[in-house]
Amino acid sequence: MEPPKIWREKRQKYLALGISCKKCGKRSFPLSEYCPYCGTNDVEEYRLAETGKILYFTNVSMTSDEMAFNAPYCLGIIELNDGIKVTGQIIDCDYKDLRKGMEVKMVFRILARDGHEGLIKYGFKFTSM
Amino acid sequence: MRMNGRNVFVIGTGLTKFGEFYDRDSTSLATEALNAAINDAKIDRSSIKSAYFGSMTSNSSPHSVFSSKCLRECNMSIPYTRVEAGNASGAAAFHQAYISLASGIYDCVAVIGSEKLSDFVKNGTIEKILGSTIDYQWEYEIGATLTSLYALITKAHMREFHTTMEQLASVPVKNHKNGKENPHAQFRREIPLDRFLSAKRISDPIGRFDLATHCDGSSALILVSEEYLERNSEIKNKIPILSSEHSTDVLALHHRESLTQIKSTVTAAKKAFAKVGIEPTDIAVAEVHDAFPISEILAIEDLGFFEKGEGGNATEAGLTQLNNKISINPSGGLKARGDPFGATGIAQIVEIVEQLRGRADKRQVSEIEYGLTHNIMGTGVLAYVNIFGQEEMKQ
Ligand SMILES: [Zn+2]
């Protein structure tokens, strides 16, 4: 894991930030300096909605070393209540109980760890409501 | 010069066996393939003025600058370019080589695809490497792997079009049957349907045996311009590249409108067919990107060979078997041939060229006018589509 990268991205990863465009009014994810819809840099930070529903889901058993402590885990594409879609892990649940349309809320958790004494990467995951 | 550039031909092909070669490095594999292609073209190696290497991981320490070492071992001192486009690096290198000839910059170039993946034995390393073919920050680091994204795509296709597990498994069953006849394939044996169905799921509904294996291998081509052929009329076995197109889609699945269509494949195919002035039904044989069973089903739909949603049905009904409605992956595809990322896109072209030359032995498709190759990166952020024709055809 790369310390400068974790440091650089911690604000957007920890706070789940996107942007809201002051010119065309559209919101987008992830955080960026320019609006992907109209190209202006007249944008402001926007905090994503914290609740949403599951659109697609699966489970993951084979994953990279630094995420293996957590496997197997459930993963899905979530449509947040502000219309923005994100990929995220769905935790504290059994895979067999997941359904399309199930309501979930965003929580703050450990995403990856570099062994027992290395860096820890945090970010959002989802849990059922 | 015409709008579409000069006519370009493939005059030589070379391929190593694909598999796990713990005793060989990237340079050794690439050198074998390039020498084979030069010998096949029956030209003097001094005619080759530039080389394009397709490789995804060759900048990682054990394989650094294998391109330079390969050219040195082939006794060639020419400028080279390494092209990286994830697991479509081979097709990307081919496309750049094609442009260099079509534009009139060069008259004779070599294209080499090479990958050495059996060195990465530690669990999770390949998943991390493939993480760079998807959205690394917002898919991979969040917990997604390439396999899990294809699991989402598979489930979406099953939900939308009632595609069944049996239909999905009939893709690798067919490809292993074809691969049995391919001397360069990693796996030369048939695998029965229930082995796929009963295997442990690694990302539901994708099972342990559904993935193409990440292995070692190298492939090479010699490409020339029409002007070069006019000057060297003794050259036989020239296969015209009728079109070479690529296209793109957004990187992350969560930014796409639909998971059941790879937009980059659709647009690249449309451009390729329009340039040649033919329809998908004119293609007799195609090598498509079957990294997962759903990948081949999406490919045969998005390339226009079957209606959207009909890919599973068509495969189960045998329509994509050798010498049926359309022969898909006569080489065995990524699944049976094995998938050394950068070597794959060029190995697909080698197969189609050999098919058009009538040199595919027991895998030979009869009466081919046109053949097609299709190679994609990740979940389709890039797609490459090439169409080849018979010797006498012109672009
Ligand atoms: Zn805007």
Side-chain angles (χ1 to χ4, degrees), chain B residues 274-391:
Chain B
K275 186 172 175 209
V276 187
I278 59 169
E279 299 292 325
T281 47
D282 294 317
I283 302 287
V285 56
E287 286 279 311
V288 307
H289 197 99
D290 62 317
F292 301 91
I294 194 66
S295 319
E296 179 166 318
I297 288 173
L298 291 178
I300 61 177
E301 294 171 356
D302 294 338
L303 291 165
F305 300 144
F306 296 95
E307 292 287 316
K308 183 46 72 185
E310 280 301 308
N313 235 335
T315 308
E316 192 177 34
L319 301 183
T320 58
Q321 287 184 8
L322 201 65
N323 284 312
N324 205 304
K325 184 166 182 275
I326 176 167
S327 304
I328 300 289
N329 286 329
S331 69
L334 281 62
K335 182 67 185 75
R337 186 177 50 221
D339 183 16
F341 308 140
T344 286
I346 293 163
Q348 293 177 318
I349 297 167
V350 169
E351 177 69 14
I352 293 301
V353 168
E354 294 305 288
Q355 289 281 350
L356 281 157
R357 287 164 154 187
R359 300 202 309 198
D361 293 326
K362 287 182 179 163
R363 315 186 305 283
Q364 186 62 48
V365 176
S366 51
E367 293 168 42
I368 312 172
E369 254 194 299
Y370 301 98
L372 176 148
T373 64
H374 164 256
N375 193 199
I376 68 173
M377 170 175 169
T379 52
V381 61
L382 284 169
Y384 291 82
V385 173
N386 302 302
I387 297 175
F388 303 85
Q390 285 293 349
E391 199 167 316

Side-chain angles (χ1 to χ4, degrees), chain A residues 21-26 35-40 43:
Chain A
C21 178
K22 291 198 210 163
K23 196 171 152 203
C24 75
K26 285 185 175 145
C35 170
Y37 296 102
C38 73
T40 181
V43 297

Side-chain angles (χ1 to χ4, degrees), chain B residues 63-83:
Chain B
H63 312 296
S64 56
V65 237
F66 79 97
S67 325
S68 170
K69 295 176 184 172
C70 163
L71 290 174
R72 182 167 180 268
E73 290 199 17
C74 290
N75 188 26
M76 292 161 77
S77 179
I78 53 171
Y80 72 85
T81 306
R82 173 182 158 249
V83 181

Side-chain angles (χ1 to χ4, degrees), chain A:
Chain A
M1 290 204 252
E2 311 79 7
K5 181 174 178 298
I6 294 174
W7 174 81
R8 181 170 70 245
E9 294 173 355
K10 69 181 186 337
R11 208 179 129 69
Q12 50 172 320
K13 281 242 161 91
Y14 292 3
L15 295 178
L17 296 176
I19 55 162
S20 173
C21 178
K22 291 198 210 163
K23 196 171 152 203
C24 75
K26 285 185 175 145
R27 292 163 177 162
S28 61
F29 168 82
L31 187 69
S32 57
E33 289 173 56
Y34 296 86
C35 170
Y37 296 102
C38 73
T40 181
N41 67 348
D42 193 11
V43 297
E44 58 188 359
E45 272 182 17
Y46 164 75
R47 197 145 173 193
L48 305 187
E50 288 180 0
T51 55
K53 57 183 199 299
I54 300 174
L55 288 184
Y56 305 96
F57 62 95
T58 182
N59 55 354
V60 180
S61 60
M62 266 168 46
T63 188
S64 72
D65 217 22
E66 62 248 32
M67 291 189 278
F69 73 95
N70 199 22
Y73 53 82
C74 301
L75 179 104
I77 295 178
I78 314 295
E79 181 168 28
L80 300 171
N81 289 338
D82 54 11
I84 282 173
K85 289 185 268 184
V86 297
T87 300
Q89 291 183 34
I90 307 154
I91 58 167
D92 306 328
C93 64
D94 264 353
Y95 176 65
K96 62 173 172 25
D97 297 330
L98 294 184
R99 296 288 176 270
K100 180 184 195 274
M102 189 181 271
E103 295 192 340
V104 290
K105 66 168 191 283
M106 197 181 269
V107 290
F108 185 69
R109 291 288 187 278
I110 293 175
L111 279 173
R113 56 167 91 223
D114 200 358
H116 287 298
E117 289 165 22
L119 290 167
I120 293 176
K121 226 187 293 186
Y122 295 92
F124 60 75
K125 293 185 184 179
F126 293 90
T127 177
S128 72
M129 287 170 73

Side-chain angles (χ1 to χ4, degrees), chain B residues 191-207:
Chain B
I191 299 181
L193 192 83
D194 30 297
R195 278 298 293 283
F196 293 104
L197 295 176
S198 62
K200 183 178 178 286
R201 299 297 106 179
I202 54 173
S203 206
D204 181 57
I206 294 176

